[in-house]
Amino acid sequence: MKRIKIDRNRCIGCLTCTTACIVSHNCADNRSRITMSSSGRYAPIFCRHCDKPECVYTCMTGAMSKNQETGIVGYDKSRCASCFMCIMACPYGVLKADSENSKEIMKCDMCQHTESGRPQCVERCPMSAITLEEV
């Protein structure tokens, strides 16, 4: 299973990762699926696609699910009840309500929809601070 990792010593806080995410997902409201840490200096915080994801366990409709093959925690907006239990349950604070459609959740989907199938934050980081690693 692969996860996005960041080397905070290499990150310069340029926000290229957030721009790449916005462009990749065609977000009209310029909202990224990446959460930024504001403690000290800006640095991205990514969905960990946890082994035992609390967001999945608290989701009463099955809108949040973990693909056992890829390890990716996915979101199916058609099944979402907009209760936001997943947002409250996430220990990393990376899930958020979509401001354009307040009944939907924004979360990292590892850019599976792109031609490369690789996260665009990884592809576009000018400092190579963001990597995709096998865990």
Side-chain angles (χ1 to χ4, degrees), residues 44-131:
I45 303 171
F46 300 97
C47 177
R48 307 288 170 90
H49 299 279
C50 302
D51 292 330
K52 295 180 180 178
E54 292 297 322
C55 60
V56 171
Y57 296 129
T58 59
C59 181
M60 62 185 163
T61 63
M64 300 294 289
S65 61
K66 181 163 180 83
N67 182 318
Q68 295 303 319
E69 219 174 276
T70 63
I72 296 173
V73 174
Y75 168 66
D76 180 354
K77 65 182 173 187
S78 69
R79 298 183 74 179
C80 185
S82 304
C83 66
F84 301 131
M85 288 300 293
C86 56
I87 292 174
M88 292 183 271
C90 178
Y92 302 103
V94 296
L95 300 178
K96 49 191 161 187
D98 184 351
S99 63
E100 188 174 296
N101 184 350
S102 61
K103 296 181 187 236
E104 294 178 12
I105 305 300
M106 289 184 69
K107 74 166 296 303
C108 173
D109 58 8
M110 300 284 275
C111 291
Q112 293 178 320
H113 64 281
T114 61
E115 281 185 36
S116 69
R118 288 176 45 89
Q120 293 304 291
C121 56
V122 173
E123 295 281 316
R124 307 282 181 239
C125 180
M127 302 306 293
S128 299
I130 306 169
T131 56

Side-chain angles (χ1 to χ4, degrees), residues 25-49:
H25 290 89
N26 197 24
C27 295
D29 63 354
N30 291 333
R31 289 222 22 207
S32 172
R33 286 161 168 74
I34 300 170
T35 301
M36 298 305 285
S37 166
S38 58
S39 58
R41 64 179 190 191
Y42 278 113
I45 303 171
F46 300 97
C47 177
R48 307 288 170 90
H49 299 279

